[in-house]
Amino acid sequence: YDEVNISEWSVSERDDILLKNGIIGSDLKSKVAKSLCNPRLLGISLELLSQDDIENIDELNVSRLLFEHMRTMERNASRPVPFSIFAKRLVNDATEIQNRVEVGQEDDLKVFQGELAIVADGRFYELLDDDPSSYYLKEEGVTLALSLSVIEQLKKAFRNSRNLDDVLNKIIDPIAALDDTSNVIISAITIAALDSRCDDRILISL
């Protein structure tokens, strides 16, 4: 087989594709617009629109795109990583980030060692240049990972009949230290609304 490298769309190419689908690129939120230069994520966003999974492109955020990207990876990859396993890896890494924040660690906050196969896709993880046995969680994946972690912790609290608001307040402290609280909560709300296994009371608490 031949390997073909697909570069990201330029801004003008992306906007031309969006315009053909009735979307004005300059109207998009900046982070969403930037992520849509990736051909795969742009394809996913247009697929969501065509299937009426979203009513308007304004409903998209980067975490939703990455969440749908994980589900697409599971469905289309020749040797797919099951969605639940990949999500669990993100949750574990997010939990470790929270633990590191709580003890005041600043260096290599988002650097990990482990199964390097997850790096292959490139949307969430990237190898360290100076240590190919380690990888780091890219910024766009941190918000999604933290939001998945929040949901998992709330599910555990719900199973054990704990006060969800109290648990959520404790969860938020280390996330607030990362200055990403609002994005994490909005992402968690989006994912909880899509997750049929997530009780409505968790969504209400969020």
Side-chain angles (χ1 to χ4, degrees):
Y1 61 88
D2 292 327
E3 185 175 296
V4 179
N5 290 318
I6 307 297
S7 59
E8 295 214 326
W9 300 119
S10 67
V11 171
S12 60
E13 288 172 328
R14 177 203 66 200
D15 288 350
D16 285 345
I17 295 169
L18 290 172
L19 191 59
K20 290 176 182 176
N21 289 272
I23 301 163
I24 299 174
S26 59
D27 290 344
L28 296 172
K29 301 167 191 170
S30 59
K31 286 187 177 180
V32 171
K34 182 179 178 181
S35 70
L36 294 185
C37 285
N38 177 274
R40 189 176 297 170
L41 294 185
L42 178 55
I44 290 170
S45 66
L46 295 178
E47 184 178 343
L48 291 173
L49 275 171
S50 68
Q51 294 175 350
D52 294 328
D53 287 339
I54 58 173
E55 294 181 5
N56 190 295
I57 197 74
D58 290 337
E59 293 180 35
L60 278 183
N61 56 49
V62 175
S63 291
R64 173 72 191 272
L65 279 172
L66 293 177
F67 180 75
E68 296 294 347
H69 175 56
M70 284 198 301
R71 299 207 287 196
T72 302
M73 280 197 310
E74 179 181 41
R75 187 169 63 244
N76 296 340
S78 58
R79 296 184 62 186
V81 176
F83 174 85
S84 58
I85 293 176
F86 198 94
K88 187 67 175 176
R89 171 58 63 87
L90 285 171
V91 168
N92 289 342
D93 288 347
T95 301
E96 179 60 24
I97 289 173
Q98 291 171 279
N99 292 338
R100 291 172 180 179
V101 169
E102 288 182 331
V103 299
Q105 178 179 335
E106 296 182 4
D107 295 341
D108 285 348
L109 183 62
K110 300 162 189 174
V111 174
F112 306 93
Q113 290 184 320
E115 176 54 60
L116 297 179
I118 63 169
V119 179
D121 173 71
R123 292 312 309 171
F124 302 94
Y125 295 99
E126 195 162 308
L127 291 175
L128 289 182
D129 291 335
D130 59 353
D131 181 6
S133 67
S134 300
Y135 59 88
Y136 67 91
L137 182 57
K138 295 167 71 173
E139 199 58 43
E140 60 185 0
V142 172
T143 299
L144 177 62
L146 288 170
S147 63
L148 288 168
S149 176
V150 167
I151 291 171
E152 288 305 307
Q153 291 179 72
L154 289 177
K155 283 181 178 179
K156 182 179 179 180
F158 180 74
R159 286 195 302 271
N160 291 278
S161 301
R162 297 177 63 194
N163 184 292
L164 295 180
D165 292 343
D166 290 345
V167 171
L168 185 56
N169 284 333
K170 292 178 182 178
I171 295 171
I172 289 301
D173 282 343
I175 295 174
L178 295 169
D179 294 326
D180 201 25
T181 308
S182 59
N183 288 330
V184 169
I185 295 301
I186 290 169
S187 174
I189 289 170
T190 301
I191 294 168
L194 293 169
D195 187 353
S196 60
R197 300 166 299 175
C198 193
D199 191 275
D200 285 347
R201 280 166 285 188
I202 292 175
L203 189 56
I204 291 168
S205 181
L206 287 165

